[in-house]
């Protein structure tokens, strides 16, 4: 939907900003709304709850209280285990020394003024 900004007609009438629907979009939206209302009306009909006495069923308890655990309330920490029984040898990485700067200030060649 494009937005039409505020404008003034040739006869001086001020038209405020608004959205313009595409041709046929209002008709399609009305059909969709009617279909949605019909589906909701058909889908929600004939609902029965309870045993017919007029009262809703009561929820049933699913747990027994007090709750007890086999470890007497203490959390059991998992113990680390080896994933393999044979030794895994990794290749050694030789570290090369990092070259150090010879000066402590940055040298920028584009501003050296040499003219080359």
């Amino acid at each position: 939907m494009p937005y039409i900004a505020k404008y003034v007609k040739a006869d001086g009438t001020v038209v405020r900003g608004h959205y313009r629907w595409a041709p046929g979009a209002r008709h399609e939206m009305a059909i969709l709304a009617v279909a949605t209302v019909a589906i909701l009306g058909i889908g929600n009909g004939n609902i029965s709850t309870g045993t017919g006495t007029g009262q809703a069923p009561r929820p049933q308890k699913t747990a027994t209280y007090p709750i007890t655990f086999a470890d007497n309330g203490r959390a059991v920490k998992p113990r680390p285990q080896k994933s393999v029984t044979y030794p895994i040898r990794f290749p050694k990485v030789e570290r090369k020394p990092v070259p150090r700067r010879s000066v402590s200030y940055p040298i920028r060649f584009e501003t050296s003024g040499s003219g080359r």
Side-chain angles (χ1 to χ4, degrees), residues 14-106:
V14 178
V15 179
R16 63 184 174 152
H18 61 279
Y19 287 99
R20 177 175 289 161
W21 286 38
R26 291 183 195 273
H27 179 71
E28 291 177 2
M29 184 60 74
I31 292 173
L32 180 66
V34 169
T36 303
V37 168
I39 289 171
L40 291 176
I42 292 171
N44 290 335
N46 200 10
I47 296 176
S48 62
T49 59
T51 58
T53 60
Q55 293 181 344
R58 304 282 303 174
Q60 301 296 321
K61 293 182 180 181
T62 58
T64 55
Y65 295 97
I67 297 174
T68 57
F69 297 97
D71 59 355
N72 297 328
R74 283 185 259 147
V76 178
K77 293 183 181 178
R79 300 188 64 150
Q81 296 178 352
K82 293 181 180 180
S83 57
V84 294
T85 57
Y86 53 88
I88 300 175
R89 300 186 192 278
F90 295 99
K92 286 196 167 188
V93 178
E94 294 183 26
R95 295 188 179 226
K96 296 179 183 175
V98 179
R100 301 230 179 230
R101 292 184 185 170
S102 59
V103 293
S104 62
Y105 54 90

